[in-house]
Short mmCIF file of all heavy atoms in Angstrom, two decimals:
data_model
loop_
_atom_site.label_atom_id
_atom_site.label_comp_id
_atom_site.label_asym_id
_atom_site.label_seq_id
_atom_site.Cartn_x
_atom_site.Cartn_y
_atom_site.Cartn_z
N CYS A 129 -24.36 36.66 13.02
CA CYS A 129 -23.19 35.86 12.85
C CYS A 129 -23.40 34.39 12.96
O CYS A 129 -24.38 33.91 13.48
CB CYS A 129 -22.07 36.27 13.86
SG CYS A 129 -22.48 35.87 15.58
N GLY A 130 -22.50 33.62 12.29
CA GLY A 130 -22.63 32.18 12.30
C GLY A 130 -21.31 31.52 12.02
O GLY A 130 -20.32 32.20 11.55
N ARG A 131 -21.21 30.23 12.28
CA ARG A 131 -19.90 29.54 12.07
C ARG A 131 -20.22 28.01 11.88
O ARG A 131 -21.19 27.53 12.38
CB ARG A 131 -18.95 29.73 13.25
CG ARG A 131 -19.55 29.33 14.58
CD ARG A 131 -18.64 29.83 15.69
NE ARG A 131 -19.17 29.20 16.95
CZ ARG A 131 -18.68 29.44 18.24
NH1 ARG A 131 -17.60 30.19 18.29
NH2 ARG A 131 -19.17 28.88 19.22
N THR A 132 -19.43 27.41 11.01
CA THR A 132 -19.59 26.00 10.76
C THR A 132 -18.26 25.39 10.40
O THR A 132 -17.34 26.10 10.02
CB THR A 132 -20.67 25.80 9.68
OG1 THR A 132 -21.04 24.38 9.59
CG2 THR A 132 -20.18 26.24 8.36
N LEU A 133 -18.19 24.04 10.36
CA LEU A 133 -17.00 23.35 9.83
C LEU A 133 -17.40 22.74 8.47
O LEU A 133 -18.54 22.22 8.34
CB LEU A 133 -16.55 22.22 10.77
CG LEU A 133 -16.07 22.59 12.19
CD1 LEU A 133 -15.79 21.35 12.97
CD2 LEU A 133 -14.84 23.48 12.09
N THR A 134 -16.46 22.73 7.56
CA THR A 134 -16.75 22.04 6.25
C THR A 134 -16.83 20.50 6.56
O THR A 134 -16.10 20.01 7.43
CB THR A 134 -15.67 22.29 5.17
OG1 THR A 134 -14.41 21.95 5.67
CG2 THR A 134 -15.68 23.84 4.82
N ASP A 135 -17.54 19.81 5.72
CA ASP A 135 -17.52 18.34 5.94
C ASP A 135 -16.42 17.75 5.18
O ASP A 135 -15.54 18.43 4.68
CB ASP A 135 -18.92 17.76 5.45
CG ASP A 135 -19.09 17.87 3.94
OD1 ASP A 135 -18.18 18.14 3.19
OD2 ASP A 135 -20.29 17.69 3.50
N GLU A 136 -16.38 16.38 5.04
CA GLU A 136 -15.19 15.70 4.41
C GLU A 136 -15.01 16.11 2.96
O GLU A 136 -13.93 15.92 2.38
CB GLU A 136 -15.28 14.19 4.67
CG GLU A 136 -16.40 13.54 3.92
CD GLU A 136 -17.74 13.52 4.69
OE1 GLU A 136 -17.93 14.35 5.65
OE2 GLU A 136 -18.63 12.77 4.29
N ASN A 137 -16.07 16.58 2.34
CA ASN A 137 -15.99 17.01 0.91
C ASN A 137 -15.76 18.49 0.72
O ASN A 137 -15.84 19.05 -0.39
CB ASN A 137 -17.26 16.62 0.18
CG ASN A 137 -17.44 15.10 0.13
OD1 ASN A 137 -16.58 14.38 -0.12
ND2 ASN A 137 -18.67 14.64 0.51
N GLY A 138 -15.50 19.17 1.91
CA GLY A 138 -15.32 20.66 1.81
C GLY A 138 -16.62 21.46 1.77
O GLY A 138 -16.57 22.64 1.57
N CYS A 139 -17.79 20.86 1.88
CA CYS A 139 -19.03 21.49 1.80
C CYS A 139 -19.46 22.23 3.06
O CYS A 139 -19.15 21.66 4.20
CB CYS A 139 -20.19 20.52 1.44
SG CYS A 139 -19.97 19.71 -0.15
N TYR A 140 -20.07 23.32 2.93
CA TYR A 140 -20.59 24.07 4.11
C TYR A 140 -21.93 24.70 3.69
O TYR A 140 -22.24 24.80 2.53
CB TYR A 140 -19.62 25.21 4.50
CG TYR A 140 -19.72 26.31 3.57
CD1 TYR A 140 -20.58 27.46 3.85
CD2 TYR A 140 -18.92 26.39 2.42
CE1 TYR A 140 -20.69 28.53 2.97
CE2 TYR A 140 -19.05 27.49 1.54
CZ TYR A 140 -19.90 28.51 1.81
OH TYR A 140 -19.97 29.55 0.91
N HIS A 141 -22.75 25.03 4.69
CA HIS A 141 -23.99 25.77 4.43
C HIS A 141 -24.44 26.58 5.56
O HIS A 141 -24.12 26.22 6.74
CB HIS A 141 -25.12 24.95 3.87
CG HIS A 141 -25.70 24.02 4.95
ND1 HIS A 141 -25.21 22.77 5.26
CD2 HIS A 141 -26.78 24.26 5.79
CE1 HIS A 141 -25.92 22.24 6.22
NE2 HIS A 141 -26.86 23.07 6.61
N PHE A 142 -25.09 27.69 5.34
CA PHE A 142 -25.70 28.53 6.39
C PHE A 142 -27.15 28.79 6.01
O PHE A 142 -27.42 28.88 4.76
CB PHE A 142 -24.95 29.93 6.49
CG PHE A 142 -23.60 29.75 7.02
CD1 PHE A 142 -22.50 29.66 6.15
CD2 PHE A 142 -23.36 29.85 8.40
CE1 PHE A 142 -21.21 29.67 6.68
CE2 PHE A 142 -22.10 29.78 8.95
CZ PHE A 142 -20.98 29.67 8.04
N ARG A 143 -28.02 29.02 6.97
CA ARG A 143 -29.30 29.68 6.75
C ARG A 143 -29.26 31.07 7.30
O ARG A 143 -28.75 31.17 8.44
CB ARG A 143 -30.50 28.94 7.36
CG ARG A 143 -30.87 27.66 6.67
CD ARG A 143 -32.31 27.24 6.97
NE ARG A 143 -32.67 27.41 8.40
CZ ARG A 143 -33.97 27.29 8.86
NH1 ARG A 143 -34.89 27.10 8.05
NH2 ARG A 143 -34.20 27.43 10.15
N THR A 144 -29.75 32.03 6.55
CA THR A 144 -29.72 33.39 7.11
C THR A 144 -30.75 34.25 6.34
O THR A 144 -31.67 33.71 5.69
CB THR A 144 -28.32 34.00 6.99
OG1 THR A 144 -28.29 35.30 7.51
CG2 THR A 144 -27.84 34.06 5.48
N VAL A 145 -30.74 35.53 6.58
CA VAL A 145 -31.57 36.41 5.75
C VAL A 145 -30.66 37.17 4.80
O VAL A 145 -29.49 37.43 5.12
CB VAL A 145 -32.39 37.43 6.58
CG1 VAL A 145 -33.46 36.72 7.33
CG2 VAL A 145 -31.50 38.32 7.43
N LYS A 146 -31.17 37.63 3.68
CA LYS A 146 -30.41 38.43 2.76
C LYS A 146 -30.14 39.78 3.37
O LYS A 146 -31.11 40.46 3.79
CB LYS A 146 -31.09 38.58 1.43
CG LYS A 146 -30.20 39.11 0.36
CD LYS A 146 -30.81 39.05 -0.99
CE LYS A 146 -29.91 39.69 -2.03
NZ LYS A 146 -30.56 39.83 -3.29
N PRO A 147 -28.88 40.19 3.50
CA PRO A 147 -28.51 41.46 4.19
C PRO A 147 -28.98 42.62 3.23
O PRO A 147 -29.05 42.52 2.07
CB PRO A 147 -27.04 41.48 4.37
CG PRO A 147 -26.53 40.48 3.33
CD PRO A 147 -27.65 39.50 3.13
N GLY A 148 -29.25 43.75 3.82
CA GLY A 148 -29.59 44.98 3.08
C GLY A 148 -28.33 45.75 2.74
O GLY A 148 -27.27 45.64 3.34
N ALA A 149 -28.48 46.60 1.75
CA ALA A 149 -27.39 47.61 1.46
C ALA A 149 -27.46 48.62 2.48
O ALA A 149 -28.50 48.87 3.15
CB ALA A 149 -27.63 48.19 0.02
N TYR A 150 -26.31 49.32 2.69
CA TYR A 150 -26.27 50.48 3.61
C TYR A 150 -25.26 51.55 3.11
O TYR A 150 -24.33 51.27 2.48
CB TYR A 150 -26.00 49.98 5.02
CG TYR A 150 -24.67 49.28 5.19
CD1 TYR A 150 -23.53 49.95 5.37
CD2 TYR A 150 -24.73 47.86 5.18
CE1 TYR A 150 -22.32 49.31 5.49
CE2 TYR A 150 -23.48 47.17 5.33
CZ TYR A 150 -22.30 47.89 5.56
OH TYR A 150 -21.11 47.19 5.68
N PRO A 151 -25.55 52.79 3.63
CA PRO A 151 -24.54 53.83 3.26
C PRO A 151 -23.40 53.86 4.17
O PRO A 151 -23.47 53.38 5.31
CB PRO A 151 -25.35 55.13 3.45
CG PRO A 151 -26.32 54.73 4.56
CD PRO A 151 -26.62 53.28 4.38
N TRP A 152 -22.28 54.35 3.72
CA TRP A 152 -21.13 54.42 4.62
C TRP A 152 -20.31 55.71 4.20
O TRP A 152 -20.42 56.29 3.14
CB TRP A 152 -20.23 53.21 4.45
CG TRP A 152 -19.70 52.83 3.12
CD1 TRP A 152 -20.41 52.61 2.00
CD2 TRP A 152 -18.32 52.72 2.76
NE1 TRP A 152 -19.61 52.33 0.96
CE2 TRP A 152 -18.30 52.42 1.38
CE3 TRP A 152 -17.12 52.82 3.34
CZ2 TRP A 152 -17.16 52.15 0.64
CZ3 TRP A 152 -15.97 52.61 2.71
CH2 TRP A 152 -15.97 52.30 1.32
N ARG A 153 -19.44 56.10 5.22
CA ARG A 153 -18.64 57.35 5.03
C ARG A 153 -17.41 57.06 4.17
O ARG A 153 -16.41 56.54 4.76
CB ARG A 153 -18.29 57.88 6.36
CG ARG A 153 -19.42 58.52 7.09
CD ARG A 153 -18.99 59.23 8.30
NE ARG A 153 -20.13 59.82 8.94
CZ ARG A 153 -20.65 61.05 8.62
NH1 ARG A 153 -20.09 61.75 7.73
NH2 ARG A 153 -21.77 61.43 9.22
N ASN A 154 -17.43 57.32 2.93
CA ASN A 154 -16.21 57.23 2.11
C ASN A 154 -16.31 58.43 1.22
O ASN A 154 -16.03 59.58 1.65
CB ASN A 154 -16.21 55.85 1.35
CG ASN A 154 -14.86 55.64 0.69
OD1 ASN A 154 -13.89 55.46 1.31
ND2 ASN A 154 -14.89 55.48 -0.61
N TRP A 155 -16.79 58.30 -0.02
CA TRP A 155 -17.36 59.51 -0.76
C TRP A 155 -18.74 59.68 -0.11
O TRP A 155 -19.28 58.79 0.51
CB TRP A 155 -17.47 59.15 -2.18
CG TRP A 155 -16.11 58.79 -2.83
CD1 TRP A 155 -15.80 57.58 -3.37
CD2 TRP A 155 -14.86 59.56 -2.95
NE1 TRP A 155 -14.50 57.54 -3.80
CE2 TRP A 155 -13.94 58.76 -3.54
CE3 TRP A 155 -14.57 60.86 -2.56
CZ2 TRP A 155 -12.61 59.22 -3.80
CZ3 TRP A 155 -13.24 61.29 -2.80
CH2 TRP A 155 -12.28 60.51 -3.44
N VAL A 156 -19.23 60.93 -0.29
CA VAL A 156 -20.46 61.22 0.53
C VAL A 156 -21.62 60.30 0.27
O VAL A 156 -22.30 59.87 1.22
CB VAL A 156 -20.91 62.65 0.31
CG1 VAL A 156 -22.29 62.98 0.92
CG2 VAL A 156 -19.89 63.68 0.82
N ASN A 157 -21.82 59.88 -0.94
CA ASN A 157 -23.02 59.06 -1.29
C ASN A 157 -22.56 57.64 -1.70
O ASN A 157 -23.03 57.10 -2.65
CB ASN A 157 -23.80 59.72 -2.33
CG ASN A 157 -25.17 59.12 -2.43
OD1 ASN A 157 -25.66 58.46 -1.57
ND2 ASN A 157 -25.79 59.34 -3.64
N ASP A 158 -21.72 57.00 -0.90
CA ASP A 158 -21.35 55.58 -1.19
C ASP A 158 -22.25 54.61 -0.44
O ASP A 158 -22.60 54.89 0.71
CB ASP A 158 -19.87 55.30 -0.74
CG ASP A 158 -18.89 55.66 -1.89
OD1 ASP A 158 -19.32 55.70 -3.05
OD2 ASP A 158 -17.76 55.88 -1.55
#
Side-chain angles (χ1 to χ4, degrees):
Chain A
C129 65
R131 55 190 188 181
T132 190
L133 296 175
T134 58
D135 69 12
E136 66 277 15
N137 299 313
C139 297
Y140 75 91
H141 71 274
F142 292 95
R143 283 205 316 171
T144 184
V145 293
K146 192 171 178 189
Y150 58 84
W152 59 300
R153 286 187 182 277
N154 191 60
W155 305 113
V156 170
N157 195 20
D158 274 339

